[in-house]
Amino acid sequence: MEIKIQRLPLLLLLITVLCFNFNPTSGRVRVPSVVNARRPLIALVMSYITEAEAVGSSGEFVPSSKAPFVDLYGRRFHLGSIRNVCVVYVLTGQRRLNAGITVQILLDHFKVDGIVHYGTAGSANNSLSFGDVSVPRYVAFTGSWTWTKFNSDLKNDDSSSVLRFGEYNIPNGGENFLSGIKFKTEEFYAVDKSMEEIFWLEINSEWLQIAQNLKVKLERCSNETFCLPTTPKVVTGLKASTADIFCDNAAYRQFLFEKFGVSTVDEESSAIVMTAMSPGVPVIVFRGVSDLAGGEGTWSSTSLMDLASINALKAAIEFIGVLGKQKSLAY
C-alpha cells in the first residue's frame, strides 16, 4: 500500500503529460510559414461548390506558385491573389454549423486581416430583385426560437419578435394548436469583453463605406438566351437574416420583412460574421438575389442562381481590389 501511494504523483504526472501533448492530427494541420508571411491576407469564403468553382475559373484568382493550397480538416484552403491582394479562399459548406467551423479553422491557422463572404440569397424586400447584390449592415440569426404552448398569452405580447401561427389560418385568422414562436437572441463572446445577448450583428462600418463607393457593373444576362429586363444593382446598408432553413414561403417572407426589416435570407452569413467578430476581424457580406423566398410570380429560372452568384462575386472581387489600393486596410 505504501508503494502505491509513493507512485501516485508520478502516475498523475505521466497522465498529465499524455493528455496535454497528444494531438492525433498535428501532422496534418501545419500551414507553411510562407503562407502567413504574405500580408495583408484577405479571406474569401463561400458556401456552395459552384461558388468556389466560379472563383477558380473567374480569371481573377492567381494561384500561389509556392503553396497553391493547404488541406485542413477535410477542407481545402486555396492560396493566391486577386487584384494583387493576397487571398485565401475556402468552401465552407452549407448552413450555419459548417460555415462557423470553417471560419474558425481559417482564423486558427491563417493570419487573415479580414474576411469577405459572397454567395446567393432570397429577397424578402420587394425593392430587391433578381441579380441585385445586397451588402447588409446588419445580420441576425432568425432560426433560434422558443416555441410556446397552446393558449399561451401571445395575444397581449406586442413584441416584434413573436410569430403567431393562428394569424395565418385561412379563411380567417384565429387560434392554432401550433401557437407561436418567440425569436431568441444569441450569446456573443468576444475577446476582452463580457458575454452579450444580441440579436443584430453589425458589419464593420469602414468596410461598409468602401462597399458603398464601389464602381462595379453587374451582369444582366446569364447567357445568350436569358437576360433580365433591367440591369441589377448593388445595395448597401440593409438587413439580412440567417437560419438553417431554405425559405420558400410568401407569408413567412412577408413576416420577416414587416417585423424585422429583413431584406435578404440565407443560411450562413450570421455564422460567418459572428465567428469573425469574436476576435475582432473585419468582415463583410455580398449576397446576390437568386429568388424571392417564396414570393415569386412568373419569374423563376435556374439561370437566376448563376446570375446572382456571378454578380455577388463581381462585387466581392471589386471590393478586394479597392481594399488593396488603400494605404491601410481601413481598420
Side-chain angles (χ1 to χ4, degrees):
M1 184 69 175
E2 182 178 351
I3 295 176
K4 291 182 179 179
I5 293 175
Q6 290 175 345
R7 289 180 177 178
L8 184 59
L10 180 61
L11 178 61
L12 290 175
L13 176 61
L14 178 60
I15 292 173
T16 301
V17 170
L18 288 173
C19 288
F20 286 93
N21 285 276
F22 177 67
N23 185 355
T25 63
S26 61
R28 299 197 297 269
V29 298
R30 293 177 182 173
V31 176
S33 58
V34 66
V35 173
N36 284 320
R38 294 150 39 91
R39 304 299 294 277
L41 179 63
I42 299 299
L44 178 63
V45 299
M46 66 292 301
S47 307
Y48 288 90
I49 292 176
T50 53
E51 294 168 351
E53 291 173 344
V55 176
S57 62
S58 65
E60 296 280 3
F61 178 76
V62 181
S64 170
S65 58
K66 295 182 179 179
F69 63 85
V70 175
D71 290 333
L72 302 173
Y73 300 102
R75 294 158 172 85
R76 176 155 291 186
F77 295 79
H78 300 264
L79 307 168
S81 62
I82 291 177
R83 305 277 178 95
N84 296 318
V85 178
C86 294
V87 168
V88 51
Y89 83 82
V90 61
L91 171 69
T92 67
Q94 298 178 49
R95 287 172 286 281
R96 198 167 69 134
L97 183 59
N98 270 330
I101 289 174
T102 305
V103 173
Q104 190 59 60
I105 294 171
L106 176 73
L107 294 173
D108 287 344
H109 293 279
F110 298 88
K111 296 178 181 178
V112 297
D113 297 287
I115 296 175
V116 177
H117 171 48
Y118 103 92
T120 59
S123 169
N125 183 343
N126 288 334
S127 68
L128 283 179
S129 191
F130 303 110
D132 289 344
V133 176
S134 175
V135 189
R137 180 179 180 183
Y138 297 101
V139 182
F141 180 64
T142 54
S144 182
W145 309 329
T146 296
W147 205 308
T148 61
K149 295 179 180 179
F150 179 63
N151 279 334
S152 59
D153 189 22
L154 288 176
K155 289 184 178 180
N156 298 322
D157 194 329
D158 295 327
S159 171
S160 63
S161 62
V162 173
L163 170 60
R164 303 170 182 84
F165 290 111
E167 294 181 356
Y168 296 89
N169 286 350
I170 54 173
N172 300 307
E175 295 298 318
N176 188 299
F177 282 123
L178 288 176
S179 186
I181 56 176
K182 293 184 178 181
F183 290 79
K184 298 172 66 175
T185 57
E186 292 281 277
E187 294 181 352
F188 176 61
Y189 295 86
V191 176
D192 297 327
K193 293 183 180 180
S194 300
M195 187 274 288
E196 297 179 79
E197 295 278 352
I198 62 174
F199 188 75
W200 294 108
L201 300 164
E202 186 172 4
I203 299 297
N204 180 277
S205 60
E206 294 184 14
W207 274 31
L208 190 63
Q209 182 64 44
I210 294 174
Q212 289 174 345
N213 296 321
L214 284 181
K215 306 295 184 183
V216 54
K217 184 179 179 180
L218 301 183
E219 298 294 331
R220 189 169 69 89
C221 302
S222 61
N223 52 51
E224 294 180 355
T225 61
F226 186 89
C227 292
L228 295 172
T230 59
T231 301
K233 58 188 179 299
V234 176
V235 182
T236 60
L238 301 178
K239 293 181 178 180
S241 74
T242 295
D244 290 331
I245 303 164
F246 184 87
C247 181
D248 191 21
N249 182 276
Y252 190 60
R253 171 188 190 266
Q254 183 178 353
F255 169 82
L256 288 174
F257 180 71
E258 291 181 350
K259 296 296 183 179
F260 297 116
V262 163
S263 292
T264 57
V265 294
D266 65 65
E267 299 176 63
E268 297 85 20
S269 291
S270 72
I272 293 169
V273 172
M274 178 177 281
T275 307
M277 285 177 58
S278 183
V281 174
V283 60
I284 195 165
V285 175
F286 294 87
R287 285 278 182 165
V289 175
S290 61
D291 61 90
L292 301 185
E296 289 90 347
T298 56
W299 274 94
S300 182
S301 172
T302 54
S303 297
L304 294 172
M305 178 71 75
D306 294 336
L307 185 61
S309 180
I310 290 169
N311 282 342
L313 179 58
K314 284 175 68 74
I317 287 175
E318 187 67 26
F319 176 85
I320 292 172
V322 172
L323 206 61
K325 295 177 182 177
Q326 306 288 322
K327 291 183 179 179
S328 67
L329 282 175
Y331 59 89

